Amino acid sequence: MLEGLFDIKNDRRLSVYLYRAGFGMWLMYLVLGAPALHLYKHYRQDCGMLCFVLMIFGFSASMVYDYFHHRDQYEVKKKWLFISYVILAGIIYFVEFRGHENSINLDWLLGLL
C-alpha cells in the first residue's frame, strides 16, 4: 500500500503530503495564539516545532526528487536553502539572544577560521 509513496526518488507525493501537514501545523500554531483558546496555549510551541520539522522534511524529499529528475531546479533550491538558513539563523539570533545575558558565544567559530 505505501511502497509507492516512499519512493522519493521517483515520486513527489510524500513531499507534498509533508508540506501540507506542515502548513496545517502552522495554521494550528496561529489558531492556538487566539485569546479564546488560552487553555490550549501550551500546545502552541509544539505545533510550531512540528511545522518546522515537517516543512524541512518535505523540502528535503522534494530536493531528492529534483536531484534525480530536475538537476537545474535542485541547484537553485540548494542555493536558496543555504540563504534561507542564514537569514533564519540571523533572525533567531537578533530576536531571541541579542542584548540578553545568555547570548551565544561564537568564539569557537572564529577559532575554526
Side-chain angles (χ1 to χ4, degrees), residues 55-85:
M55 290 284 193
I56 294 298
F57 285 161
F59 190 71
S60 299
S62 173
M63 285 186 70
V64 169
Y65 178 82
D66 287 338
Y67 178 79
F68 288 102
H69 298 285
H70 307 286
R71 188 58 71 110
D72 54 339
Q73 290 179 9
Y74 169 76
E75 294 297 327
V76 171
K77 283 183 179 182
K78 187 170 66 171
K79 292 174 189 172
W80 281 108
L81 181 66
F82 177 74
I83 291 170
S84 65
Y85 278 157

Side-chain angles (χ1 to χ4, degrees), residues 2-86:
L2 297 175
E3 56 271 352
L5 180 63
F6 293 113
D7 183 21
I8 60 174
K9 185 172 85 170
N10 295 315
D11 195 359
R12 190 168 260 213
R13 288 182 294 168
L14 181 63
S15 65
V16 172
Y17 295 151
L18 289 171
Y19 275 130
R20 288 177 183 171
F23 183 69
M25 285 295 112
W26 179 71
L27 291 176
M28 285 300 299
Y29 174 79
L30 292 177
V31 168
L32 289 173
L37 296 174
H38 70 281
L39 292 174
Y40 302 106
K41 190 173 184 173
H42 57 279
Y43 292 118
R44 189 169 193 237
Q45 186 175 5
D46 296 335
C47 284
M49 291 304 295
L50 191 57
C51 166
F52 179 74
V53 168
L54 288 171
M55 290 284 193
I56 294 298
F57 285 161
F59 190 71
S60 299
S62 173
M63 285 186 70
V64 169
Y65 178 82
D66 287 338
Y67 178 79
F68 288 102
H69 298 285
H70 307 286
R71 188 58 71 110
D72 54 339
Q73 290 179 9
Y74 169 76
E75 294 297 327
V76 171
K77 283 183 179 182
K78 187 170 66 171
K79 292 174 189 172
W80 281 108
L81 181 66
F82 177 74
I83 291 170
S84 65
Y85 278 157
V86 169

